[in-house]
Amino acid sequence: MSAFDKLFEEAKAAHATAYAPYSNFNVGAALLTDDGKVISGCNVENGAYPEGTCAEAGAIAAMVRAGSTRIVEVVVVADAALCTPCGGCRQKLKEFAAGNTPVHVADLKGLRRTFTVDELLPAGFELERSE
């Protein structure tokens, strides 16, 4: 099974557990870290809409909690032909990923399109790292 396939299955599973009673728009995301972990997250809405959590943000928080800080591949799954990360999540991804990191956008049937982090956010803020 390829890295994409593992991430896609994990993102689909996260999509199925999303809490979206206000928008009815479930999103799941899965990240592959540089130390080989697959971490996922789902969107979580609440009554103070739109103060919910995006799937990508949830996955990033779980990744940091698991002790990882570098993303090498991302899959986002939604019930839409093309659901790219929102602007805030694009910046969150850029914080933990290289500009050429692939971000695969999929629906429940499979891959729709692949972008790089830099294609999604060409002039985002970057922390200078000593790596």
Side-chain angles (χ1 to χ4, degrees):
M1 181 180 279
S2 72
F4 170 80
D5 291 333
K6 288 179 188 175
L7 290 169
F8 176 68
E9 290 304 319
E10 189 64 28
K12 259 182 32 175
H15 169 277
T17 63
Y19 180 76
Y22 303 98
S23 70
N24 294 311
F25 190 78
N26 290 14
V27 182
L31 316 171
L32 176 63
T33 66
D34 66 348
D35 54 355
K37 295 175 188 161
V38 173
I39 311 272
S40 63
C42 61
N43 60 318
V44 178
E45 298 176 348
N46 66 66
Y49 192 78
E51 294 298 319
T53 303
C54 296
E56 301 89 337
I60 290 168
M63 174 193 74
V64 171
R65 173 65 182 99
S68 300
T69 58
R70 296 303 290 162
I71 299 168
V72 298
E73 194 168 356
V74 180
V75 173
V76 178
V77 173
D79 297 319
L82 199 62
C83 180
T84 61
C86 73
C89 286
R90 292 175 188 205
Q91 181 61 57
K92 289 173 182 78
L93 289 169
K94 194 165 187 86
E95 182 77 16
F96 297 99
N100 64 349
T101 299
V103 179
H104 308 289
V105 178
D107 61 17
L108 294 174
K109 294 178 184 173
L111 180 65
R112 301 295 298 191
R113 187 164 170 196
T114 299
F115 300 89
T116 65
V117 168
D118 279 349
E119 286 174 325
L120 292 172
L121 189 66
F125 175 79
E126 290 188 68
L127 177 66
E128 289 188 31
R129 296 183 184 270
S130 59
E131 300 172 321

